[in-house]
């Protein structure tokens, strides 16, 4: 099993450019999440999808949009990248939206210059 | 939002038991507590989850006192491969979903 797969692993963007981070899971999980991790900080939730067809804002949604394409795929889009969005982005999934542990991907390291 | 506080770093030696405590004074009644391990350039990995008292699995134990204002992850007989960053997570089971990760405890295990 591949688990949670994120692409790309690294990306450098110029301020104002757009891009989409891709995430796919093969564990038949219902819930998927996007987190960002900054140095010295814990992970902060950007958006999540409790089940296919639903999406909700997390703690830090500004500047991002998401799409739950199907049960397997959950993408994160930066419409106009800013240096403050330089971070490591993690996608995660779990069987249900509460009371289960996450399975995380290996992350996307994004630098906005 | 629940606020979580963990020690920034800890040192230990192979074969010792390590206890990492997370403080979460304003935890809500229905919040769950989960601990994750993270190695460099990897995503966090689930270790253990609990609500109250004690939970044990094959790799760790989680102790939660009756007031639930803190939790302690216990790693028995650590090895060099346990060198990692450990995060506690407090997450709600009802209402709007805003989970709170701690800032992580960097554990270094020495030979």
């Amino acid at each position: 099993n591949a688990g949670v797969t994120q692409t790309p692993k690294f990306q450098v963007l110029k301020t104002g450019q757009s891009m989409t981070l891709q995430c796919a899971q093969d564990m038949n999980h219902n819930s998927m999440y996007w987190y960002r991790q900054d140095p010295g900080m814990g992970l902060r939730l950007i958006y999540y999808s409790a089940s296919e067809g639903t999406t909700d804002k997390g703690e830090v949604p500004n500047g991002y949009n998401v799409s739950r394409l199907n049960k397997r795929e959950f993408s994160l889009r930066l419409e106009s990248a800013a240096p403050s969005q330089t971070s490591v982005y993690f996608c995660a999934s779990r069987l249900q939206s509460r009371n289960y542990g996450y399975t995380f991907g290996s992350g996307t390291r994004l630098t906005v210059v | 939002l629940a606020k979580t506080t963990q020690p920034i770093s800890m040192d230990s030696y192979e074969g010792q038991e390590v206890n990492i405590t997370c403080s979460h004074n304003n935890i809500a009644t229905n919040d769950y507590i989960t601990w994750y391990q993270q190695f460099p350039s990897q995503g966090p990995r689930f270790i253990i989850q609990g609500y109250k008292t004690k939970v044990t699995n094959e790799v760790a134990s989680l102790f939660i006192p009756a007031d639930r204002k803190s939790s302690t992850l216990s790693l028995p007989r650590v090895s060099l491969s346990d060198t990692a960053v450990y995060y506690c997570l407090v997450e709600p089971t009802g209402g709007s979903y805003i989970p709170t990760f701690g800032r992580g405890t960097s554990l270094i295990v020495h030979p």
Side-chain angles (χ1 to χ4, degrees), chain A residues 33 35 37 40-45 48 57-59 90 94 97-107 109, chain B residues 1 32 34 36 38 41-46 49 87 89 91-103:
Chain A
Y33 305 78
Y35 280 90
Q37 184 175 41
M41 305 280 288
L43 287 84
R44 292 183 292 168
L45 182 64
Y48 69 101
K57 295 178 180 180
E59 183 183 357
F90 288 100
R94 58 185 179 183
S97 62
R98 309 285 171 116
N99 303 349
Y100 284 83
Y102 293 115
T103 299
F104 283 89
S106 58
R109 186 173 294 275
Chain B
L1 291 181
Y32 265 73
T34 314
Y36 289 84
Q38 186 177 30
S41 300
Q42 294 185 23
R45 184 174 68 175
F46 173 87
Q49 183 181 70
Y87 293 93
L89 166 65
E91 55 182 323
T93 57
S96 61
Y97 183 68
I98 304 292
T100 305
F101 274 91
R103 297 192 174 192

Side-chain angles (χ1 to χ4, degrees), chain B residues 48-96:
Chain B
I48 197 165
Q49 183 181 70
Y51 178 75
K52 61 181 179 181
T53 63
K54 178 183 175 181
V55 180
T56 297
N57 61 23
E58 62 276 10
V59 298
S61 295
L62 177 59
F63 299 92
I64 305 171
D67 65 8
R68 304 199 332 118
K69 293 186 177 182
S70 66
S71 59
T72 298
L73 172 72
S74 181
L75 304 172
R77 298 178 300 281
V78 294
S79 65
L80 297 178
S81 62
D82 293 315
T83 294
V85 179
Y86 293 82
Y87 293 93
C88 66
L89 166 65
V90 174
E91 55 182 323
T93 57
S96 61

